[in-house]
Amino acid sequence: MSFNSLQFLIFFPIVALIFYILPKKVRYIWLLVASYYFYMCWNVAYAGLIAISTVVTFGSGLLLEKFNEDTGKKKLVVAGSFTINLGILFFFKYLDFFFENINSLLGIMKVRPINNGLDLLLPVGISFYTFQALSYTMDVYRGEVKAMKNPFKYALFVSFFPQLVAGPIERSKNLLTQIETLPERKSWNYERVLSGIYQMAFGMFMKMVIADRVAIFVDGVYSRLHYAGTFETVFAALGFSLQIYCDFAGYSAIAIGAARILGFDLMENFNTPYFAGSIGEFWRRWHISLSTWFKDYLYIPLGGNRKGKLRKYINLIIVFLVSGLWHGASWTFVIWGGIHGLLQVIEDVILPRLNALYEKFGINTKTESFKLFRMIKTGILVTLAWVFFKADSLSQAIKFLTRMFTKWNPWVIFDGTFFKYGINQIEFRILIIGVVILLLADLIRYFKKEDIGVFIGRQNFLFRWIVLLTLIFMCIVFGKYGADFDSAEFIYFKF
Amino acid sequence: MEQSNNYKTIMRIVGAVVFVLLFLIVYSKIYNVFRYKDTHGDYLSMPVILKDLPKDSLDVAFVGSSHTVCGVLPAVIWEETGISSMNVGISGMDKSTCIATLNELFKYQSPQVVLVDLYNVTFDEHAVEGNVVRAMFAYEPFESKGLPVLDKDRMRLIDDEIRINGDSDRYELSDADDYYLEWPIVHSRYQELKANDFRENPRYEYWLGEEPVMRTSLISPPELYSIPPEAYILSDENKEYIDEVIRIVESNGSQVVFTIIPYPDYSDKDFIQFMSADSYIRGMGYNIINGLFLQPDIGYSYDTDFFNGDHLNYWGAKKVSGYLANYLMMFYELEDHRDDPKYMRWEKNWEYMHQMDQKWDLQNDENGAFGTVIRSSLGSNLCTIIKVTGDLSPEGSSSAIAYAFGISEADLAKGGAWIIDSGEKVARYLPGKEEEIEYEVNKNLSVKICDSKDDKTDIYFNLDRRNMINSDDESGLEIFVYDEVLDEMIYNGVIK
């Protein structure tokens, strides 16, 4: 069940309504049932994988508490929990990739390839809930949270449907605490619910009006690379930057809004990432729940920046290579991660020198124009890196980049060629209107430091109604859905 | 404090209700713009008329595919008998659509006789995608009365259509929800909206489901198949279908007559199904008008009365409709409504047909432009605008035309422009001496006449805000003829 489906539009109000009707003590049971139903709408059998992950990490939590004094045993338990969870993840997500590479090597050695005989369907959101469950094991191991005693509450933590399939990847300190305190908390908060609705509406708008619309153009260019020149590829690259942001941040907004309606605060996942002045800052604003997960559970355990510059750079590269692999079982993702790691290392190395140069030449780095320059520079680097993320293969990515720089054709902007990639002039106009609305929302987020749901919720009722009706009708009229449109799954579902 | 909280709660509930109402109002307005308004093309939808007709005003309904749509003219039946009939046809009407149409028909009307065409016994699947979509969207998604419950007949129709087209990539079973609700499909129409999406097609005022085509193609007569009667085996699906049609019509207190509207391009397989259905129906004691064998009685010609191998043209439809009118008069006691104001739509429908005839005559007059102008000056619901540029020879044909309109030689020499509405001179413009004149022919057409910069006369037409038609500066007698019923400029030319 996708967030932008009719089923979800029926499912969610029913879940919310019953949630508030039920006595507080049993609400978590209802949410657990709803969450498993939500997941089973994709694949009934794969709900078993969530259950396994839940049982393993729940059991490991209890054992970790039991072996409180015995570090050796605790490490063994953590290792066991990680092995089982990452084993499942590897089996379903990386086994094919693994055999593909083994077979490539065997091919070089002229040895017959291995047929693994499996044609596995990737369980939706497996990377997300696996990481969320593992964070619990680590938090209990570190003594940052106590082991949960109620298995159903813990099961809800792993499977909470708003963020189950594409995050934000929650921490036990945040979500588990909220689940535990559910019976004691205030039942209904009108302002919160409204703010959640605005947040969801804006997420839907980002996904249905912008992401799915620009996706048609982007896919059109990628599938006709033999035909496209500099201008189409540049716009397609920029388009993908827009698409993936609206797709993923849109999903997160819906998840955060839905959870807010149910009385839960999920962690922030996006904070105007394209306003970042450096790659490092970009990662503090983009997919925050994943970046902080890697920081807390991989970068710091590797030594972080405590063991010298070289080790810091190696750690950064490792973290980003793993992050790339987390996104997908393909070398394109690994390269994408590697590029981001490398860019951060380069930034770290040259930034002090650059700052010295700026000072020497009297360039004021505090001006708005300089900030804008840095944002544009970061945006260009991020956009170029996305080419690897989007491409189906390395050769496609290289071909795309080559086209970007070698086939100069500015006339396509004027001669109608642009409209031969799947979206016509009307669609482009709608897209531009959508982007303007998005920019306004991001500016509000950037300067007011509050999400769009909270901001709208603070306004007077007339403004709120106009904004909400506009968003809803933009979605239901200009949103991409229906039989004529094969609605793209949210991009991050496959990770 | 508690009182203040209660007040707050009440206001919030009221606010939520008002918001939902506002949403529904906006949605319904937008839905009306976006919904399919088309079962025939040109923004005309047969089910809309079914609902618009005065309750139980229909005596006879003709149900069928494009053969019926093009081949039956309610105006002819009205003209000859005063019987109120309607062409309840949808292009490509398959069996499922026919059943849904009958159910829809009896929700709003109680016709005494229903004539159901049998073209759909010749096929079980759909050949034309557009027809399927038209059929599925012909009916509104929700029952018009009471709460918004999905219309069960419509849902059944969609299920049938999707089942029939299950193998096609276009119609996946998973799309059923989208078709039930309609909106998920029609919302993308923002790319194709036209004026008639925002306001009703003016033809709705008098339209009765027909689609006359004034075009002729020379058609070869049908092949005469010599198939022995023992080969006439009706398929089980067709048997069930015919039985279901009879059941629906009779259970609603009406009488059913089956028809086969004539067309020449049928195959031997079609012929077998037609003949099998014919004998099955006669065997059960029901009537069938088999047009394939009635050429001598109806009098249609393959040279003049078809516009392609499948469909009658306007003149063929007139002949078939005349035959059906006689048939109805002969076998049924149906009332003549010609003086009843309740049946104004049929009167207007007849008038429309009359104007169509007049337009055809005007545009195809053997006497050329002279005859055109004379006719237009006498014709009803026509507005003629004439303009004189330069000197006309008093002996020339253009002067003769001017005199026919009662314009004197002296006036003609002064030049200018005249407006003649339904044979009556209503305005005259004298160049260089008068202020500009503006004349509202009707709500759709206004005419403005004024001097141009070079002291000539300019005529501007604003036809329903659709376009501006300017007059020429050519020397001679320029003539415009506008038909108020058809709402179109049916003639424009300069006569030297």
Side-chain angles (χ1 to χ4, degrees):
Chain A
M1 187 189 310
S2 178
F3 278 171
N4 59 340
S5 66
L6 180 67
Q7 291 94 317
F8 186 75
L9 284 181
I10 297 166
F11 167 83
F12 183 69
I14 293 171
V15 170
L17 192 70
I18 295 175
F19 175 80
Y20 281 111
I21 291 170
L22 287 172
K24 283 184 184 177
K25 280 186 177 175
V26 294
R27 283 178 183 174
Y28 73 93
I29 299 282
W30 168 243
L31 286 184
L32 181 62
V33 171
S35 296
Y36 267 79
Y37 172 79
F38 176 84
Y39 194 82
M40 285 193 289
C41 285
W42 270 296
N43 192 311
V44 176
Y46 280 0
L49 294 178
I50 304 181
I52 292 170
S53 186
T54 305
V55 169
V56 169
T57 47
F58 177 75
S60 69
L62 293 175
L63 287 173
L64 285 168
E65 202 161 76
K66 189 179 168 190
F67 303 137
N68 194 21
E69 302 299 321
D70 191 337
T71 313
K73 279 185 180 171
K74 277 173 74 179
K75 281 187 176 167
L76 208 60
V77 171
V78 171
S81 175
F82 269 66
T83 305
I84 293 169
N85 278 289
L86 293 179
I88 293 170
L89 183 63
F90 176 83
F91 183 76
F92 282 96
K93 188 166 176 174
Y94 299 104
L95 194 63
D96 281 346
F97 179 58
F98 176 74
F99 277 110
E100 202 179 290
N101 285 288
I102 291 286
N103 285 335
S104 295
L105 283 174
L106 292 176
I108 293 166
M109 294 186 284
K110 310 260 189 258
V111 178
R112 190 198 286 207
I114 304 163
N115 181 8
N116 71 24
L118 296 168
D119 186 19
L120 296 170
L121 183 70
L122 180 69
V124 171
I126 188 167
S127 306
F128 288 90
Y129 67 74
T130 302
F131 270 40
Q132 183 157 314
L134 287 176
S135 77
Y136 168 76
T137 302
M138 281 302 286
D139 288 348
V140 178
Y141 172 77
R142 290 172 178 174
E144 290 173 1
V145 292
K146 286 187 174 172
M148 280 292 292
K149 301 291 182 295
N150 184 328
F152 299 110
K153 283 186 177 174
Y154 179 73
L156 176 60
F157 163 72
V158 179
S159 65
F160 186 47
F161 75 86
Q163 46 85 241
L164 172 61
V165 292
I169 303 167
E170 271 300 334
R171 303 303 158 77
S172 49
K173 277 170 277 186
N174 182 34
L175 185 59
L176 207 48
T177 313
Q178 291 184 61
I179 292 169
E180 274 203 292
T181 57
L182 193 58
E184 293 96 56
R185 279 187 288 137
K186 190 184 170 190
S187 172
W188 164 270
N189 184 319
Y190 180 76
E191 281 78 18
R192 271 184 69 93
V193 170
L194 281 189
S195 153
I197 291 171
Y198 303 137
Q199 190 77 0
M200 285 182 82
F202 196 76
M204 293 278 189
F205 167 79
M206 287 174 83
K207 165 67 181 163
M208 295 168 76
V209 180
I210 303 178
D212 286 348
R213 181 164 272 103
V214 75
I216 298 168
F217 174 75
V218 173
D219 290 344
V221 174
Y222 268 86
S223 63
R224 297 172 67 192
L225 263 184
H226 58 283
Y227 186 73
T230 299
F231 274 74
E232 294 101 314
T233 45
V234 165
F235 276 86
L238 290 170
F240 186 70
S241 294
L242 179 68
Q243 181 197 343
I244 194 159
Y245 173 50
C246 289
D247 194 287
F248 194 18
Y251 181 91
S252 291
I254 301 168
I256 290 167
R260 196 176 286 166
I261 290 170
L262 296 169
F264 293 88
D265 281 320
L266 297 185
M267 70 184 293
E268 184 183 45
N269 217 16
F270 289 88
N271 178 5
T272 58
Y274 293 132
F275 289 170
S278 66
I279 298 293
E281 190 187 350
F282 174 79
W283 280 102
R284 288 191 291 280
R285 293 172 175 275
W286 177 276
H287 203 175
I288 299 165
S289 64
L290 180 73
S291 317
T292 51
W293 196 99
F294 275 118
K295 186 182 139 203
D296 292 345
Y297 303 113
L298 185 61
Y299 181 70
I300 291 173
L302 283 172
N305 53 7
R306 301 186 306 274
K307 296 184 178 176
K309 283 268 180 192
L310 183 64
R311 187 61 190 270
K312 177 190 169 185
Y313 296 151
I314 291 169
N315 290 343
L316 264 175
I317 298 281
I318 290 171
V319 165
F320 276 93
L321 287 174
V322 175
S323 167
L325 199 59
W326 178 90
H327 281 85
S330 162
W331 287 112
T332 52
F333 290 109
V334 178
I335 289 173
W336 168 78
I339 290 170
H340 274 276
L342 201 62
L343 286 172
Q344 287 206 60
V345 172
I346 293 168
E347 260 178 9
D348 203 69
V349 172
I350 68 166
L351 205 60
R353 290 163 181 79
L354 270 178
N355 284 336
L357 273 177
Y358 294 145
E359 210 174 319
K360 191 174 174 186
F361 289 106
I363 296 169
N364 185 356
T365 57
K366 304 273 187 250
T367 59
E368 301 306 319
S369 59
F370 193 83
K371 280 182 189 166
L372 187 66
F373 162 74
R374 292 184 66 202
M375 281 177 197
I376 292 169
K377 173 212 71 183
T378 309
I380 290 170
L381 292 173
V382 169
T383 297
L384 288 172
W386 282 135
V387 172
F388 288 91
F389 192 95
K390 164 69 183 167
D392 293 331
S393 62
L394 270 178
S395 59
Q396 193 189 35
I398 290 162
K399 190 174 178 183
F400 189 94
L401 289 168
T402 311
R403 287 271 161 169
M404 263 175 120
F405 296 105
T406 58
K407 197 178 170 187
W408 180 253
N409 58 345
W411 55 87
V412 296
I413 298 175
F414 309 100
D415 70 0
T417 307
F418 248 65
F419 305 118
K420 290 178 182 166
Y421 291 93
I423 61 174
N424 58 24
Q425 283 196 34
I426 297 174
E427 296 287 354
F428 259 110
R429 282 182 205 140
I430 297 167
L431 188 59
I432 289 166
I433 294 168
V435 171
V436 169
I437 295 173
L438 175 69
L439 187 63
L440 277 176
D442 271 7
L443 286 171
I444 289 167
R445 177 76 188 84
Y446 189 72
F447 289 110
K448 291 275 179 186
K449 314 258 184 260
E450 60 188 358
D451 72 36
I452 193 73
V454 175
F455 174 80
I456 299 168
R458 282 197 299 104
Q459 310 305 312
N460 66 50
F461 87 96
L462 197 62
F463 179 85
R464 294 200 311 259
W465 284 18
I466 290 169
V467 170
L468 188 56
L469 282 174
T470 305
L471 289 175
I472 292 173
F473 281 107
M474 286 287 282
C475 289
I476 65 177
V477 175
F478 300 124
K480 290 288 177 188
Y481 63 95
D484 272 336
F485 178 70
D486 185 16
S487 179
E489 291 284 304
F490 282 95
I491 291 177
Y492 266 69
F493 278 15
K494 60 187 176 191
F495 303 138
Chain B
M1 184 67 182
E2 197 181 320
Q3 206 171 9
S4 150
N5 278 344
N6 286 343
Y7 175 75
K8 224 174 177 179
T9 307
I10 290 166
M11 287 311 291
R12 281 170 177 174
I13 291 168
V14 170
V17 171
V18 172
F19 181 84
V20 171
L21 285 175
L22 195 63
F23 170 81
L24 291 174
I25 289 166
V26 177
Y27 176 77
S28 76
K29 296 282 176 202
I30 292 179
Y31 170 74
N32 274 324
V33 172
F34 278 69
R35 72 184 164 80
Y36 271 102
K37 302 169 186 72
D38 189 298
T39 52
H40 285 61
D42 203 19
Y43 289 93
L44 291 165
S45 175
M46 175 274 292
V48 171
I49 303 297
L50 263 186
K51 290 169 198 172
D52 274 5
L53 293 180
K55 182 85 179 147
D56 297 335
S57 59
L58 202 59
D59 293 332
V60 176
F62 296 96
V63 180
S65 65
S66 57
H67 292 211
T68 304
V69 171
C70 299
V72 179
L73 301 172
V76 173
I77 293 162
W78 176 258
E79 185 179 33
E80 294 189 11
T81 65
I83 294 169
S84 61
S85 67
M86 183 178 160
N87 193 323
V88 188
I90 293 180
S91 177
M93 182 182 278
D94 54 82
K95 297 188 241 316
S96 305
T97 312
C98 181
I99 298 298
T101 302
L102 287 170
N103 286 324
E104 193 77 1
L105 168 68
F106 288 112
K107 278 182 197 166
Y108 304 98
Q109 298 292 329
S110 311
Q112 295 174 55
V113 188
V114 179
L115 292 95
V116 180
D117 191 63
L118 289 170
Y119 173 63
N120 52 19
V121 299
T122 63
F123 60 95
D124 289 327
E125 72 298 329
H126 302 286
V128 184
E129 182 182 307
N131 290 342
V132 180
V133 174
R134 278 179 179 175
M136 289 201 277
F137 289 124
Y139 309 105
E140 285 181 14
F142 298 105
E143 284 176 358
S144 55
K145 295 167 200 162
L147 292 168
V149 178
L150 285 169
D151 186 286
K152 62 179 185 307
D153 293 328
R154 187 177 189 274
M155 288 173 79
R156 195 174 72 173
L157 170 65
I158 289 167
D159 285 342
D160 281 349
E161 299 290 1
I162 287 173
R163 178 179 50 76
I164 292 165
N165 291 277
D167 295 335
S168 151
D169 290 341
R170 178 70 176 73
Y171 301 105
E172 295 289 336
L173 260 176
S174 57
D175 295 338
D177 293 349
D178 291 341
Y179 284 100
Y180 292 154
L181 296 170
E182 189 175 329
W183 178 258
I185 292 175
V186 302
H187 82 96
S188 56
R189 288 197 64 240
Y190 58 79
Q191 302 210 37
E192 59 188 42
L193 294 179
K194 291 186 181 145
N196 282 338
D197 282 302
F198 296 88
R199 53 113 205 252
E200 209 172 60
N201 187 334
R203 276 181 73 190
Y204 266 124
E205 258 185 71
Y206 43 80
W207 188 62
L208 284 165
E210 72 283 354
E211 200 56 55
V213 178
M214 294 179 118
R215 200 171 67 237
T216 303
S217 292
L218 204 63
I219 305 295
S220 308
E223 204 173 317
L224 293 171
Y225 298 107
S226 53
I227 298 164
E230 54 270 23
Y232 298 164
I233 300 163
L234 191 64
S235 71
D236 289 345
E237 273 202 353
N238 282 336
K239 259 186 209 167
E240 279 173 31
Y241 163 65
I242 290 168
D243 293 347
E244 179 70 355
V245 167
I246 293 170
R247 189 195 64 73
I248 294 171
V249 175
E250 291 190 340
S251 65
N252 283 285
S254 297
Q255 298 181 66
V256 63
V257 177
F258 290 94
T259 61
I260 299 172
I261 301 289
Y263 73 102
D265 271 5
Y266 51 82
S267 67
D268 54 345
K269 283 180 187 166
D270 298 344
F271 185 74
I272 289 172
Q273 284 308 310
F274 281 140
M275 295 313 295
S276 314
D278 185 311
S279 67
Y280 180 70
I281 288 161
R282 286 182 205 281
M284 288 195 294
Y286 289 95
N287 292 334
I288 175 164
I289 301 168
N290 190 337
L292 303 183
F293 296 108
L294 292 171
Q295 192 193 4
D297 302 276
I298 298 172
Y300 61 83
S301 152
Y302 296 109
D303 292 341
T304 59
D305 294 335
F306 291 88
F307 70 89
N308 62 24
D310 287 322
H311 303 96
L312 288 157
N313 64 17
Y314 176 62
W315 299 281
K318 272 187 154 181
K319 290 172 186 169
V320 168
S321 304
Y323 178 86
L324 292 170
N326 286 334
Y327 178 90
L328 290 167
M329 282 290 281
M330 201 181 297
F331 294 104
Y332 300 94
E333 286 182 11
L334 298 164
E335 211 180 321
D336 182 343
H337 302 292
R338 272 177 285 199
D339 294 324
D340 189 341
K342 184 180 164 188
Y343 293 84
M344 190 51 81
R345 177 185 283 270
W346 280 268
E347 198 60 41
K348 283 185 176 172
N349 182 262
W350 174 83
E351 199 177 70
Y352 175 78
M353 194 181 78
H354 174 73
Q355 296 298 122
M356 292 272 290
D357 283 333
Q358 188 171 257
K359 174 186 166 186
W360 176 263
D361 290 344
L362 280 173
Q363 292 179 340
N364 296 279
D365 192 283
E366 285 174 3
N367 298 318
F370 182 80
T372 300
V373 176
I374 299 299
R375 278 173 184 280
S376 69
S377 68
L378 302 170
S380 59
N381 299 310
L382 295 180
C383 181
T384 307
I385 297 103
I386 57 178
K387 184 183 95 169
V388 175
T389 306
D391 295 326
L392 302 184
S393 158
E395 282 80 36
S397 59
S398 52
S399 298
I401 292 165
Y403 302 150
F405 279 106
I407 300 167
S408 68
E409 201 174 329
D411 277 352
L412 202 59
K414 290 175 195 165
W418 290 261
I419 299 173
I420 298 108
D421 200 350
S422 294
E424 208 174 302
K425 264 186 282 180
V426 291
R428 193 264 157 105
Y429 180 76
L430 211 54
K433 293 191 177 171
E434 291 183 22
E435 295 289 311
E436 64 178 39
I437 58 168
E438 275 194 47
Y439 179 68
E440 296 263 330
V441 180
N442 60 17
K443 65 178 181 187
N444 293 332
L445 175 69
S446 64
V447 184
K448 187 176 101 173
I449 309 177
C450 57
D451 275 354
S452 65
K453 283 178 188 165
D454 49 358
D455 288 338
K456 288 180 179 165
T457 303
D458 271 350
I459 306 178
Y460 297 97
F461 298 92
N462 188 352
L463 189 54
D464 194 20
R465 295 188 179 85
R466 287 198 296 265
N467 48 17
M468 295 286 288
I469 308 165
N470 296 343
S471 63
D472 264 325
D473 278 339
E474 256 187 277
S475 182
L477 190 74
E478 190 176 10
I479 303 165
F480 297 89
V481 182
Y482 168 75
D483 188 311
E484 293 181 38
V485 174
L486 302 179
D487 187 28
E488 58 180 285
M489 201 64 79
I490 59 173
Y491 183 83
N492 174 211
V494 179
I495 299 161
K496 300 284 181 189

